[in-house]
Coordinates of all heavy atoms in Angstrom, one line a residue:
A200 N -11.5 -4.7 15.0 CA -10.5 -5.8 15.2 C -9.1 -5.0 15.3 O -8.3 -5.5 16.1 CB -10.5 -6.8 14.1
L201 N -8.8 -4.1 14.4 CA -7.4 -3.6 14.3 C -7.2 -2.4 15.2 O -6.3 -2.1 15.8 CB -7.1 -3.2 12.9 CG -7.1 -4.5 12.0 CD1 -6.9 -4.1 10.5 CD2 -5.8 -5.2 12.2
C202 N -8.2 -1.4 15.2 CA -7.9 -0.2 15.9 C -9.3 0.4 16.4 O -10.0 1.2 15.9 CB -7.5 0.9 14.8 SG -6.9 2.4 15.4
P203 N -9.9 -0.3 17.5 CA -11.1 0.1 18.0 C -11.4 1.4 18.5 O -12.4 2.0 18.3 CB -11.3 -0.9 19.3 CG -9.9 -1.3 19.6 CD -9.2 -1.3 18.3
D204 N -10.4 2.2 18.7 CA -10.4 3.6 19.0 C -10.9 4.5 17.7 O -11.3 5.6 17.9 CB -9.0 4.2 19.3 CG -8.6 3.7 20.8 OD1 -9.4 3.1 21.4 OD2 -7.4 3.9 21.1
A205 N -10.8 3.8 16.5 CA -11.3 4.6 15.4 C -12.7 4.4 15.2 O -13.2 4.9 14.2 CB -10.5 3.9 14.2
V206 N -13.5 3.7 16.1 CA -15.0 3.4 15.8 C -15.6 4.0 17.1 O -15.2 3.6 18.3 CB -15.2 1.9 15.7 CG1 -16.7 1.8 15.5 CG2 -14.5 1.4 14.4
D207 N -16.7 4.7 16.8 CA -17.6 5.1 18.0 C -19.0 4.6 17.8 O -19.8 5.1 16.9 CB -17.6 6.7 18.1 CG -18.3 7.2 19.3 OD1 -19.1 6.4 20.0 OD2 -18.5 8.4 19.6
A208 N -19.4 3.4 18.4 CA -20.6 2.8 18.1 C -21.9 3.8 18.4 O -22.9 3.6 18.0 CB -20.8 1.6 19.1
A209 N -21.6 4.8 19.4 CA -22.7 5.6 19.8 C -23.1 6.6 18.6 O -24.1 7.2 18.7 CB -22.2 6.5 21.0
R210 N -22.2 6.7 17.6 CA -22.5 7.4 16.5 C -23.3 6.8 15.3 O -23.6 7.4 14.3 CB -21.3 8.1 15.9 CG -20.6 9.0 17.0 CD -21.4 10.3 17.2 NE -20.8 11.3 18.1 CZ -21.2 12.5 18.3 NH1 -22.4 12.9 17.7 NH2 -20.7 13.3 19.2
F211 N -23.4 5.4 15.4 CA -24.2 4.8 14.3 C -25.5 5.3 13.9 O -25.8 5.5 12.8 CB -24.4 3.2 14.7 CG -23.2 2.4 14.8 CD1 -23.0 1.4 15.6 CD2 -22.2 2.7 13.8 CE1 -21.9 0.5 15.7 CE2 -21.0 1.8 14.0 CZ -20.8 0.7 14.8
A212 N -26.2 5.8 15.0 CA -27.6 6.3 14.7 C -27.4 7.8 14.0 O -28.4 8.1 13.3 CB -28.3 6.4 15.9
D213 N -26.4 8.3 13.8 CA -26.2 9.7 13.3 C -25.9 9.4 11.8 O -25.9 10.5 11.1 CB -25.0 10.5 13.9 CG -25.2 10.7 15.3 OD1 -26.4 10.8 15.8 OD2 -24.1 11.0 16.1
N214 N -25.6 8.3 11.3 CA -25.5 8.1 9.8 C -26.7 8.2 9.1 O -27.7 7.7 9.4 CB -24.8 6.6 9.6 CG -23.4 6.5 10.1 OD1 -22.6 7.5 9.9 ND2 -23.0 5.4 10.7
T215 N -26.5 8.6 7.9 CA -27.7 8.8 7.0 C -27.3 8.1 5.5 O -28.3 7.9 4.8 CB -28.1 10.2 6.9 OG1 -27.0 11.1 6.3 CG2 -28.5 10.9 8.0
G216 N -26.2 7.9 5.2 CA -25.8 7.4 4.0 C -26.0 5.8 3.9 O -26.0 5.1 4.9

Side-chain angles (χ1 to χ4, degrees):
L201 291 167
C202 187
D204 289 347
V206 179
D207 184 354
R210 296 288 180 176
F211 286 148
D213 297 335
N214 287 319
T215 58

